[in-house]
Amino acid sequence: MQDEIYRVGKLSLDIGRHVLSGPRGEVLLAPVPFRIMEKLMRREGVIQSQDAITQAIWSDPDDEPDDPGRVIREKISKLRGLICLIGTDGRGRVEIRNERECGYYVSVRKQG
């Protein structure tokens, strides 16, 4: 059976292997960053609320940390660094964007 792969620009996420890949390499994601990227890349350009991301990461509310929003912000910050590291900068750069008070989304930044 072939693994499902999500692609946004030059970035790809292998669902079966939990691997995020770009032109300069790949990185194996831990469970929480993987679930965040899966949620965002599944629907490119669509804002995912913090509540929706929280539910994707911790399906059981008893497993949630005291401040899930802080954990999500920290993991997204690290994911942004990984995206730059594996080579999705420059023309066609993939970005994790934030819409204040709404949520996060992933998109390709087109540069003229």
Side-chain angles (χ1 to χ4, degrees):
M1 184 173 140
Q2 189 175 8
D3 286 332
E4 192 171 3
I5 297 176
Y6 296 129
R7 288 184 173 77
V8 176
K10 296 178 184 177
L11 191 67
S12 63
L13 180 66
D14 185 317
I15 300 303
R17 294 176 43 224
H18 289 211
V19 171
L20 186 65
S21 302
R24 289 192 297 232
E26 61 183 37
V27 63
L28 178 64
L29 296 177
V32 170
F34 169 76
R35 288 187 191 114
I36 292 170
M37 285 306 296
E38 180 183 23
K39 183 75 174 165
L40 296 176
M41 290 182 71
R42 183 181 296 264
R43 300 187 65 208
E44 176 186 355
V46 176
I47 296 171
Q48 302 295 320
S49 71
Q50 183 172 299
D51 287 342
I53 294 171
T54 298
Q55 290 173 2
I57 298 170
W58 301 284
S59 56
D60 182 353
D62 292 335
D63 293 337
E64 282 182 28
D66 290 336
D67 187 354
R70 180 186 55 78
V71 173
I72 291 168
R73 286 188 302 276
E74 288 173 357
K75 299 302 181 186
I76 285 179
S77 177
K78 290 180 182 181
L79 283 165
R80 286 173 171 150
L82 286 174
I83 289 170
C84 288
L85 183 70
I86 62 175
T88 60
D89 54 354
R91 187 184 235 339
R93 177 176 68 188
V94 176
E95 296 179 318
I96 298 175
R97 308 286 308 258
N98 175 262
E99 283 294 322
R100 192 179 275 308
E101 305 296 324
C102 292
Y104 296 92
Y105 64 99
V106 66
S107 68
V108 178
R109 182 176 182 174
K110 309 235 187 298
Q111 297 178 341

